[in-house]
């Protein structure tokens, strides 16, 4: 992009930001804000029950009738969504079991087991090459650690601290099992950092450099390197680009290119895998089959492949699914029962968590959803319950599983030395975040007792993608007392009894109703509405569809004050912008990267609270500047993998010189409810100086032969559309 155009867009975004921030925060009322008409009601329903209207949606809802359309959305099984399935087809991992993901995309723990002879290398050529690269990397890391330990062992004392390095280097230089474990853990830490949804939007991702030429985002910051590591990386890079065979790979036909990679010797494979962290990755996989693409990207970072495809699938569903309410509710429950994908083995389990646990129950009974999440390996691992052990359990007491006749010869540990092993994470979040709420009337004793109830709820071979398992030897014996309710000792059934107690609690009914009202009505919803929803929740035994039905047919939902009262989260903003423009997504990965930049990496909320739905969390100068930059990049065709037909967006029969007509047409198509006079005047003020000074954006380079005033594609369409997507009215739903 020419420097003049770059400066123009930066100044434009900054200037408009000054108008946008206060309007988004204050939500000034304007005569265009109204749901008193049929169109207003249809638009309000679309803004709340979907990720935003697509071209033609408003007319469809008005033709069908709002009530009938809402009822259809509440029953997604009646909606044909086959077109979406075709878009999801290339993302193979979203259909894999946790065990298949673990086998195809190994983490360092599995590689370490191969190194120690506890596992065999897979015989399948494509899987074998992935394992081979990771094994070479792990061996290299271990050798460097041992070498560093040897060097440190002979180093003189550190005069600055007055200590020697002997104690620390003894462990660092150990070639035994302790070193293997340390090497594995260190490699796992590196791998998990690279697979973070927040830090890595996919192997070889070019999102940050291709989103917009005037808003380049630096790649995620790598882990700190020592001088030696930096020098080694430089030498590796030189070796890579000196290798002519690797350089020539991208020029080969896809099948031949892929076969060449599989045939590379190990040292060259490692160099090639390292190169995928840069721009070569996405270029190299062009034209490959989905399976081949996954294999190539897995060479660099196996754990990131499944989480990357899951994030892409989420965006594609949000944009293209006809079952929009089901997608909104799936996202709602994934956030309510949050699981952080970047914690240890969760990258293996989180695909099944959303697909098999959340989505099928998003509009079902809350108790069924609560039980399913409690037994989900992803939740058990995330909140550490899979390792929780009762202080008086057989395992804690050291009693053998099959004691035999000589067991009495081995004394039990004394009471003061018994290992506890009790983990309260799940017990606490179950009461505080999943059911009763922080003000739900429970005590610390209730948390501890609840944690004891769920001891023994664990995972069968988590590293291999195993499922739920109840282990009686880990379970705390004896009765428990939770919320004044006595739970008799009966193993796994104790947990089911407590979950039923919580799911049918009035406090839970109120808390879930409040959160639903916050999502669909306002940040501070009317108490009367929440009370009615709570009554429906209890009467219908937690039927989520019935609770939503009460909400959608309430006077509070349709109150004038709720119109455009909710600020969009980054996910809602990005999805709604793509939907409003009718954009065609060829590659969803760059959009995933955009969400990373906006502070909402998909499946990347680290605390169990998930992401907030409240406006103040997402409204700030820097956040809205990122949104404005994204909007301008999107409409100017600078988001890789996303295409917009600007001629179709502008509408037909509008002269290029008629700015007002063009603006009015785009207002109607992108912000169907209209914009305020302040927003309208602000946009006009930006367009007119550009036209008078000639500093408006030039036509795209691929539009050779078109004149700047070509009515078929007015050059200011992209700019006006971008400003409208960044407007206060579009920021709210």
């Amino acid at each position: 992009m020419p420097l003049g155009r770059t400066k123009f867009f930066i100044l434009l975004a900054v200037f408009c930001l000054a108008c946008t921030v206060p309007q988004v925060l204050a939500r000034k009322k304007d005569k265009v804000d109204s749901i008193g008409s049929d169109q207003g009601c249809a638009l309000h329903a679309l803004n709340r029950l979907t990720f935003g209207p697509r071209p033609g949606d408003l007319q469809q809802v008005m033709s069908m009738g709002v009530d009938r359309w809402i009822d259809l959305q509440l029953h997604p099984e009646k909606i044909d969504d086959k077109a979406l399935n075709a878009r999801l087809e290339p993302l193979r991992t979203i259909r894999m079991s946790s065990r298949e993901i673990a086998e195809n995309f190994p983490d360092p723990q599995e590689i370490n087991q191969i190194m120690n002879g506890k596992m065999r290398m897979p015989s399948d050529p494509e899987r074998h090459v992935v394992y081979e690269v990771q094994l070479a990397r792990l061996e290299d890391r271990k050798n460097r650690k041992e070498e560093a330990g040897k060097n440190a062992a002979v180093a003189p004392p550190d005069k600055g601290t007055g200590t020697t390095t002997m104690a620390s280097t003894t462990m660092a230089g150990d070639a035994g099992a302790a070193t293997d474990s340390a090497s594995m853990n260190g490699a796992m830490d590196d791998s998990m950092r690279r697979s973070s949804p927040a830090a890595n939007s996919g192997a070889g991702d070019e999102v940050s450099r291709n989103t917009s030429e005037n808003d380049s985002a630096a790649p995620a910051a790598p882990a700190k390197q020592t001088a030696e590591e930096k020098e080694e990386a430089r030498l590796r890079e030189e070796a890579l680009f000196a290798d002519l065979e690797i350089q020539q790979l991208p020029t080969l036909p896809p099948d031949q290119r892929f076969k060449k990679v599989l045939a590379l010797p190990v040292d060259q494979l490692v160099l090639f895998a390292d190169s995928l962290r840069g721009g070569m990755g996405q270029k190299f996989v062009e034209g490959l089959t989905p399976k081949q693409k996954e294999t190539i990207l897995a060479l660099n970072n196996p754990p990131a492949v499944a989480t990357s495809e899951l994030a892409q699938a989420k965006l594609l569903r949000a944009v293209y699914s006809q079952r929009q309410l089901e997608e909104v509710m799936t996202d709602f429950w994934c956030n309510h029962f949050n699981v952080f994908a970047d914690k240890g083995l969760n990258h293996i389990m989180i695909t099944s968590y959303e697909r098999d646990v959340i989505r099928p129950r998003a509009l079902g009974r809350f108790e069924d959803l609560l039980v399913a999440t409690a037994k989900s390996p992803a939740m058990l691992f995330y909140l550490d319950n899979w390792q929780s052990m009762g202080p008086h359990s057989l395992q804690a007491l050291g009693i053998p599983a099959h004691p035999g006749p000589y067991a009495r010869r081995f004394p039990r540990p004394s009471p003061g030395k018994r290992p506890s092993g009790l983990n309260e994470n799940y017990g606490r979040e179950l009461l505080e975040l999943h059911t009763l709420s922080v003000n739900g009337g429970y005590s610390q004793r209730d948390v501890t007792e609840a944690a004891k109830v769920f001891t023994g709820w664990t995972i069968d071979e988590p590293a291999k993608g195993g499922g739920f398992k109840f282990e009686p030897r880990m379970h705390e014996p004896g009765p428990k007392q939770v919320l004044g309710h006595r739970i008799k000792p009966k193993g796994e059934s104790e947990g089911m009894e407590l979950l039923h107690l919580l799911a049918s609690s009035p406090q839970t009914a109120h808390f879930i109703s409040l959160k639903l009202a916050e999502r669909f009505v306002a940040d501070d919803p009317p108490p009367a509405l929440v009370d009615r929803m709570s009554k429906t929740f209890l009467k219908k035994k937690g039927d989520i569809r019935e609770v939503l039905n009460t909400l959608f047919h309430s006077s509070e939902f349709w109150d004038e004050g709720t119109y455009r009262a909710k600020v969009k989260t980054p996910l809602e903003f990005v999805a709604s912008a793509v939907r409003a423009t009718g954009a065609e997504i060829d590659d969803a990965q760059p959009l995933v990267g955009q969400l990373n930049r906006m502070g909402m990496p998909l499946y990347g909320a680290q605390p169990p609270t998930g992401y907030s739905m409240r406006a103040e969390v997402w409204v700030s100068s820097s956040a809205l500047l990122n949104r404005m930059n994204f909007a301008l990049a999107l409409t100017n065709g600078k988001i890789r993998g996303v295409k917009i037909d600007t001629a179709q967006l502008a509408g037909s029969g509008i002269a290029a010189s008629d700015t007002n007509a063009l603006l009015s047409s785009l207002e109607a198509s992108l912000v169907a409810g209209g914009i305020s006079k302040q927003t309208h005047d602000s946009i006009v003020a930006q367009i007119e100086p550009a036209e008078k000074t000639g500093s408006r954006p030039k036509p795209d380079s691929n539009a050779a032969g078109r004149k700047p005033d070509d009515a078929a594609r007015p050059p200011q369409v992209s700019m006006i559309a971008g400003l409208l997507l960044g407007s206060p009215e579009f920021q709210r739903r």
Side-chain angles (χ1 to χ4, degrees):
M1 178 183 291
L3 182 60
R5 187 177 176 187
T6 301
K7 288 182 177 179
F8 171 75
F9 275 118
I10 293 174
L11 292 173
L12 184 64
V14 172
F15 182 87
C16 290
L17 192 64
C19 303
T20 303
V21 174
Q23 288 192 67
V24 172
L25 284 170
R27 189 185 162 260
K28 284 189 173 183
K29 290 295 293 180
D30 192 277
K31 64 180 181 180
V32 299
D33 287 339
S34 173
I35 55 176
S37 64
D38 291 343
Q39 176 172 314
C41 288
L43 181 61
H44 182 62
L46 281 164
N47 278 329
R48 295 305 172 91
L49 276 71
T50 78
F51 281 98
R54 283 177 59 82
D57 281 357
L58 185 60
Q59 293 73 20
Q60 180 184 3
V61 173
M62 291 177 65
S63 175
M64 181 184 295
V66 173
D67 287 342
R68 184 183 171 193
W69 178 81
I70 290 176
D71 183 68
L72 186 61
Q73 286 295 319
L74 283 167
H75 295 85
E77 68 279 2
K78 299 179 181 179
I79 302 174
D80 182 5
D81 217 13
K82 292 179 181 177
L84 171 67
N85 296 334
R87 294 181 180 274
L88 298 176
E89 187 65 28
L91 306 175
R92 297 173 62 251
T93 63
I94 67 172
R95 296 179 294 277
M96 289 184 180
S97 66
S98 296
R99 193 171 294 276
E100 289 174 316
I101 292 175
E103 291 173 351
N104 285 276
F105 308 101
D107 64 13
Q109 182 175 341
E110 292 179 84
I111 301 302
N112 190 70
Q113 289 182 327
I114 290 176
M115 179 186 288
N116 294 332
K118 297 178 181 179
M119 282 181 58
R120 292 183 179 180
M121 289 280 282
S123 57
D124 176 76
E126 296 183 14
R127 288 177 54 202
H128 183 91
V129 75
V130 172
Y131 277 72
E132 198 171 29
V133 169
Q134 309 316 311
L135 182 61
R137 282 175 169 171
L138 193 57
E139 288 176 337
D140 179 64
R141 182 183 178 88
K142 178 181 175 181
N143 292 336
R144 285 189 284 112
K145 277 184 174 289
E146 291 179 351
E147 186 65 30
K150 292 177 182 178
N151 293 337
V154 298
D158 187 342
K159 295 181 180 180
T161 60
T163 60
T164 66
T165 57
M166 185 64 68
S168 61
T169 58
T170 299
M171 289 186 291
D174 183 9
T179 305
D180 291 342
S181 178
S183 300
M184 183 272 286
N185 289 335
M188 182 177 291
D189 288 343
D190 287 349
S191 177
M192 291 302 102
R193 277 194 295 270
R194 290 194 300 270
S195 67
S196 168
N200 183 5
S201 53
D205 182 31
E206 294 183 281
V207 170
S208 53
R209 287 192 302 279
N210 289 280
T211 53
S212 130
E213 293 181 18
N214 72 311
D215 183 32
S216 298
K224 292 183 179 179
Q225 291 180 307
T226 65
E228 292 79 5
E229 288 174 332
K230 288 181 179 178
E231 177 62 15
E232 183 178 347
R234 186 185 68 78
L235 293 174
R236 279 176 174 271
E237 187 175 356
E238 286 184 359
L240 170 68
F241 289 103
D243 193 308
L244 295 177
E245 186 172 2
I246 293 180
Q247 285 184 18
Q248 294 171 356
L249 285 174
T251 65
L252 300 175
D255 282 341
Q256 188 177 349
R257 187 193 322 158
F258 184 71
K259 291 177 181 177
K260 279 279 189 180
V261 170
L262 296 187
L264 288 174
V266 177
D267 57 338
Q268 289 185 330
L269 267 175
V270 173
L271 291 175
F272 172 73
D274 289 345
S275 76
L276 297 176
R277 297 173 188 172
M280 183 177 174
Q282 290 299 328
K283 295 177 182 177
F284 189 90
V285 298
E286 290 178 2
L288 299 182
T289 67
K291 185 177 180 181
Q292 290 173 337
K293 179 178 179 180
E294 289 167 358
T295 300
I296 294 299
L297 297 180
L299 293 176
N300 172 41
N301 185 4
V305 175
T307 51
S308 173
E309 291 197 353
L310 184 62
Q312 293 177 59
K314 189 180 189 73
L315 268 169
L316 290 172
R317 289 178 183 276
V319 172
Y320 291 113
S321 177
Q322 297 297 320
R323 301 172 176 179
Q324 279 288 293
L325 181 59
E326 181 179 64
E327 294 309 317
V328 167
M329 288 305 299
T330 298
D331 177 64
F332 175 86
W333 291 122
C334 279
N335 196 57
H336 180 79
F337 295 104
N338 181 55
V339 168
F340 180 42
D342 195 31
K343 179 175 179 176
L345 297 171
N346 265 339
H347 66 279
I348 294 173
M349 309 166 183
I350 199 165
T351 296
S352 174
Y353 181 66
E354 179 174 302
R355 181 190 64 216
D356 305 324
V357 174
I358 301 292
R359 184 176 300 280
R361 300 170 180 84
L363 292 167
R365 292 176 67 246
F366 178 76
E367 183 172 346
D368 295 338
L369 181 57
L370 185 66
V371 171
T373 57
K375 289 189 172 185
S376 165
M379 182 65 72
L380 289 166
F381 190 91
Y382 172 54
L383 293 179
D384 305 307
N385 199 82
W386 74 288
Q387 293 178 317
S388 185
M389 178 171 52
H392 304 92
S393 65
L394 297 177
Q395 187 164 320
L397 296 176
I399 299 176
H402 304 286
Y406 303 104
R408 294 179 183 177
R409 297 184 182 181
F410 300 93
R412 296 183 180 182
S414 61
K417 296 183 179 180
R418 289 175 183 171
S420 173
L422 182 67
N423 191 296
E424 297 183 354
N425 286 353
Y426 180 68
R428 178 174 291 104
E429 308 310 345
L430 173 66
L431 302 180
E432 179 179 328
L433 299 178
H434 298 173
T435 57
L436 303 178
S437 84
V438 68
N439 300 314
Y442 62 89
S443 66
Q444 174 56 39
R445 183 178 183 276
D446 292 320
V447 171
T448 302
E449 290 292 289
K452 291 178 181 178
V453 166
F454 290 102
T455 51
W457 286 46
T458 186
I459 309 170
D460 182 26
E461 297 184 305
K464 296 182 179 180
F468 169 79
K469 173 185 178 183
F470 178 73
E471 178 50 70
R473 289 177 43 76
M474 297 173 66
H475 185 66
E476 177 69 4
K480 289 88 177 173
Q481 189 94 359
V482 184
L483 302 170
H485 180 82
R486 187 175 187 271
I487 299 177
K488 297 179 181 179
K490 47 187 173 182
E492 180 184 346
S493 297
E494 295 173 26
M496 299 298 291
E497 181 178 341
L498 179 53
L499 292 174
H500 174 72
L501 176 70
L502 294 171
S504 55
S505 166
Q507 287 89 348
T508 298
H510 183 273
F511 181 50
I512 299 303
S513 298
L514 175 63
K515 287 199 69 173
L516 287 170
E518 286 177 346
R519 166 59 180 80
F520 289 102
V521 179
D523 285 1
D524 298 297
L529 170 62
V530 177
D531 289 343
R532 292 201 307 277
M533 293 169 63
S534 300
K535 290 179 181 177
T536 300
F537 187 102
L538 294 172
K539 182 180 179 181
K540 299 296 184 178
K541 298 183 178 181
D543 189 318
I544 300 165
R545 183 181 285 106
E546 292 293 338
V547 175
L548 289 176
N549 199 44
T550 297
L551 188 159
F552 296 147
H553 291 90
S554 69
S555 58
E556 291 89 346
F557 178 77
W558 298 103
D559 185 83
E560 193 76 26
T562 66
Y563 191 72
R564 286 180 175 165
K566 290 287 297 181
V567 172
K568 296 174 181 176
T569 66
L571 172 60
E572 292 166 349
F573 170 68
V574 168
S576 64
V578 175
R579 284 174 63 82
T581 56
E584 180 66 25
I585 301 175
D586 294 328
D587 182 3
Q589 188 59 55
L591 294 175
V592 173
Q594 286 291 327
L595 289 174
N596 295 348
R597 284 182 50 76
M598 294 181 189
M600 196 178 186
L602 298 178
Y603 312 101
Q606 189 166 0
T609 50
Y611 291 118
S612 174
M613 295 181 286
R614 299 186 66 85
E616 62 265 20
V617 175
W618 302 111
V619 178
S620 67
S621 296
S622 59
L624 293 180
L625 180 59
N626 280 336
R627 294 190 183 203
M628 181 66 77
N629 283 331
F630 166 76
L632 291 169
L634 176 68
T635 56
N636 277 276
K638 299 303 178 183
I639 306 291
R640 180 176 56 80
V642 184
K643 301 175 182 176
I644 293 178
D645 187 340
T646 53
Q648 183 177 355
L649 197 63
S652 58
I654 300 177
S657 58
D658 193 344
T659 301
N660 287 329
L662 183 59
L663 178 55
S664 296
S665 175
L666 289 170
E667 286 175 3
S669 61
L670 296 178
V671 193
I675 62 174
S676 67
K677 184 177 185 302
Q678 181 179 352
T679 300
H680 178 89
D681 292 345
S682 296
I683 294 176
V684 170
Q686 299 312 303
I687 299 170
E688 290 179 346
E691 291 177 339
K692 291 176 182 178
T693 61
S695 61
R696 67 186 182 189
K698 298 178 181 179
D700 292 341
S701 59
N702 62 0
R706 290 190 182 128
K707 296 180 181 180
D709 293 329
D710 186 354
R713 186 178 179 181
Q716 66 267 46
V717 169
S718 298
M719 182 177 67
I720 295 174
L723 294 175
L724 285 170
L725 294 181
S727 69
E729 288 78 12
F730 193 84
Q731 297 290 330
R732 297 192 300 259
R733 55 176 179 82

